[in-house]
Amino acid sequence: MYERQELTAQFQQYMENPLLWPVLEVLRKKPSGWKVHTLASHLGDLGFIPVLDPSPEKDLFKRNFLIMNALYQLQETLYPDKWLQVEAMNIILMPSHQVAGHEVDTSDPLRDYYIHWKNYEAEEGEVKRLLNEFWTRYRHSVGSTNGKDMDRAKALSLFELSHDASQTEIRKTWRKLALKWHPDRERGDSEHFRILCEAWNVLRH
């Protein structure tokens, strides 16, 4: 039992929701006017979210959970450069001059609920498969080459990390680089971002 809890804790810490990046693209193009269900529907139309459960009620719950989880992770990733207001009926990506007075509330019970994958109501293996599928969809959307020319050593070199870098270091570096080079950024670069995606795909396991 203890070993299972340890595995789950590690999974909770390292498993990133790949919907962060499609959500960021959507919010950059239209920073306000979103509700959780309209955002989920839009991402579904773009091909990022398949049907998640044969039961319509469970499918809706799981979609909402994934979006809220991504929003809270994205809020933390963007802060303090931008502020992402995470409210189910009023999602807003605010520019840097509106960040003052806002900060990530780690004691927020709603945030705590949606950040923890155990509340997705699925076995860890199912969640991993789902997120891997999402990541594959996203890589395809940015022009993945299926990592033909990427190995761990090259990926670590791109991230400017040593061979013994921890998963926490790797994840933090990925988010920092992805945010810097994302094609929707003013100085972003879609080709460099695609290469970084391939590197992260190798290092995230």
Side-chain angles (χ1 to χ4, degrees), residues 129-185:
R129 282 192 301 275
L130 172 70
L131 296 184
N132 282 334
E133 181 187 335
F134 279 5
W135 181 245
T136 300
R137 285 168 185 254
Y138 188 65
R139 284 172 64 227
H140 179 72
S141 78
V142 298
S144 167
T145 58
N146 293 319
K148 290 194 292 270
D149 305 316
M150 188 67 63
D151 58 22
R152 186 173 177 83
K154 183 173 180 182
L156 285 168
S157 174
L158 277 167
F159 278 27
E160 296 184 359
L161 292 172
S162 64
H163 71 279
D164 57 352
S166 69
Q167 281 302 116
T168 301
E169 287 177 285
I170 289 169
R171 184 184 183 192
K172 282 182 179 175
T173 303
W174 153 244
R175 287 194 178 187
K176 181 179 166 187
L177 291 171
L179 211 49
K180 179 181 179 181
W181 295 103
H182 194 282
D184 277 354
R185 297 281 287 198

Side-chain angles (χ1 to χ4, degrees), residues 25-98:
E25 287 168 29
V26 169
L27 291 176
R28 282 199 189 282
K29 288 169 185 165
K30 185 186 171 192
S32 62
W34 295 103
K35 299 174 173 59
V36 172
H37 67 277
T38 59
L39 188 54
S41 176
H42 185 63
L43 289 168
D45 291 343
L46 293 173
F48 288 115
I49 307 182
V51 174
L52 300 169
D53 199 288
S55 160
E57 293 81 7
K58 282 191 174 181
D59 183 67
L60 179 62
F61 168 81
K62 289 180 175 181
R63 281 169 177 257
N64 286 353
F65 183 94
L66 288 165
I67 296 296
M68 291 295 284
N69 176 279
L71 287 168
Y72 278 117
Q73 287 198 43
L74 190 56
Q75 181 188 66
E76 193 175 330
T77 300
L78 293 171
Y79 184 80
D81 297 324
K82 291 182 184 295
W83 179 250
L84 177 56
Q85 175 176 293
V86 183
E87 293 178 7
M89 303 305 283
N90 193 21
I91 298 157
I92 306 173
L93 178 60
M94 300 179 186
S96 54
H97 68 270
Q98 292 184 336

